[in-house]
Amino acid sequence: LPSRSQFITPVQGGGVAIYDLNTRTLLHKIDGWLETNVTALTSSPDEAILYVGLNIGKVLIIATATGEILDSHQIDYVDSGILSSNEAIRSMVASSDGSKIAIAFERSVSVWNITDWSLNRKAVNDWHDFLKVVFTTDNDSVIAATAYEVYQLNLQSGEFEITYSLPSHATLVALA
């Protein structure tokens, strides 16, 4: 988690473990969805909630203090115009104000309003797989990266455009 006092990691067999880094102890082990694997993790800005992305397109909402699964949402995504609800979540991040969550699938990025899980914006890329999403500091846009391009999804206008293309010999390895 951002405060660095807790560490969260996926565990084999489908689940997550939350450790206290100060005491070096296991706080919670949350499992029970053994049919699937964790593919992405993010937390609310206050670190009270952990969002766990699964390889079946589902997001689990977990209270970090208790390890209790509070809710879950199946996230539908669009890839080349085809709606699906069984794709792995590649990356996800909560906005700094805690109002939205951005989720990257293989070929699409979607932004959801956390209060009611309504779709805010969605964009599709037919060329390369998305690897990472982050919000801009003002929460007005989402930056989404493939291995070769960086895109910006403007949440006000819905515009989705390439903002940077890497040289042909380069590959993006990190986005922060």
Side-chain angles (χ1 to χ4, degrees), residues 4 7 15-16 61 81-82 103 114 121 125 137 141 147 156 161:
R4 310 270 190 245
F7 176 75
V16 294
I61 297 102
I82 300 168
I103 299 175
I114 291 176
R121 292 284 180 194
N125 170 14
T137 55
S141 295
Q156 305 302 320
E161 59 189 3

Side-chain angles (χ1 to χ4, degrees), residues 51-161:
Y51 301 97
V52 178
L54 305 177
N55 70 342
I56 58 170
K58 184 178 277 189
V59 176
L60 299 178
I61 297 102
I62 298 172
T64 54
T66 63
E68 176 187 359
I69 298 175
L70 303 173
D71 204 354
S72 68
H73 291 278
Q74 184 66 47
I75 305 297
D76 295 329
Y77 91 112
V78 175
D79 183 6
S80 301
I82 300 168
L83 184 64
S84 175
S85 61
N86 201 20
E87 291 295 320
I89 293 171
R90 295 287 188 95
S91 173
M92 63 184 185
V93 64
S95 60
S96 62
D97 64 4
S99 68
K100 295 180 255 335
I101 190 165
I103 299 175
F105 289 98
E106 186 173 297
R107 300 283 170 97
S108 69
V109 172
S110 57
V111 179
W112 299 84
N113 299 313
I114 291 176
T115 54
D116 62 359
W117 285 90
S118 61
L119 182 63
N120 182 296
R121 292 284 180 194
K122 186 175 283 191
V124 178
N125 170 14
D126 290 327
W127 297 101
H128 302 291
D129 297 349
F130 286 107
L131 304 173
K132 182 78 175 170
V133 289
V134 296
F135 277 93
T136 55
T137 55
D138 60 10
N139 294 316
D140 285 341
S141 295
V142 170
I143 306 300
T146 71
Y148 308 101
E149 294 130 355
V150 177
Y151 292 80
Q152 181 172 357
L153 173 58
N154 183 303
L155 299 181
Q156 305 302 320
S157 68
E159 290 181 33
F160 186 62
E161 59 189 3

